[in-house]
Amino acid sequence: MNRDELAKPFPAGYWGNWEAEFGHNFFDAHADRTCEYDKHFIEPELSGKSVLEIGGFPGLLASVYIARGCKVVAIDSPNYRPEYYLKFAESQLFQSISHDINYGAPPDFDEHFDVAVMSDVLLHNAGFPSEFMKWTIKHCDKI
């Protein structure tokens, strides 16, 4: 996957919404790294699998998982689910569950996944979400 392919699923103005909210261009900052993830991890290891993405916003990795035939569910902090992201998730047919992982397991959610991915989530977290991780271990074959 290259930068042009990576950009295709996102509607016009999507990354401008991010930049207006956060003051930098997320796509430009992370596209090359995401293409490397795809080359070395996503395409060879995750194609066709069910993926629980913990911290899916803004959707860059989810779009790659979907391009590789994965079934994707994202768990996103209630603080990071802007309307433009939720519309994107809906258009790409992946679910974003609103849940703060610091409060343990997501309520009323008992699905099992082939793999859970937590890319950069703990960098933005105060502490370690031990109870959530215990839940994740029971609901995913691989983390």
Side-chain angles (χ1 to χ4, degrees):
M1 177 167 291
N2 62 44
R3 287 173 71 95
D4 291 337
E5 293 169 322
L6 187 59
K8 281 182 186 176
F10 297 93
Y14 185 87
W15 295 109
N17 289 322
W18 168 281
E19 193 165 358
E21 189 172 352
F22 297 100
H24 72 283
N25 187 314
F26 185 92
F27 185 86
D28 283 347
H30 297 278
D32 292 335
R33 176 181 76 169
T34 303
C35 291
E36 286 296 310
Y37 284 172
D38 180 51
K39 180 180 174 183
H40 298 289
F41 176 60
I42 298 171
E43 196 275 331
E45 300 290 329
L46 300 182
S47 290
K49 301 211 173 172
S50 60
V51 177
L52 175 64
E53 186 178 7
I54 302 158
F57 176 66
L60 197 56
L61 284 172
S63 69
V64 179
Y65 300 140
I66 290 164
R68 296 297 180 209
C70 298
K71 177 188 181 254
V72 179
V73 173
I75 291 181
D76 292 298
S77 166
N79 299 325
Y80 293 99
R81 297 178 75 237
E83 191 61 34
Y84 65 92
Y85 169 67
L86 296 177
K87 285 181 182 177
F88 170 73
E90 184 178 332
S91 76
Q92 295 300 302
L93 305 176
F94 74 90
Q95 182 182 11
S96 169
I97 296 170
S98 179
H99 179 66
D100 185 329
I101 64 174
N102 293 301
Y103 297 119
D108 304 319
F109 184 71
D110 203 31
E111 196 167 336
H112 191 87
F113 297 87
D114 294 317
V115 65
V117 179
M118 273 180 103
S119 177
D120 298 336
V121 171
L122 295 178
L123 295 172
H124 307 288
N125 202 46
F128 188 80
S130 300
E131 293 304 313
F132 176 79
M133 292 308 295
K134 288 177 188 175
W135 175 87
T136 305
I137 289 166
K138 292 177 185 174
H139 288 85
C140 301
D141 293 337
K142 196 174 191 180
I143 298 175

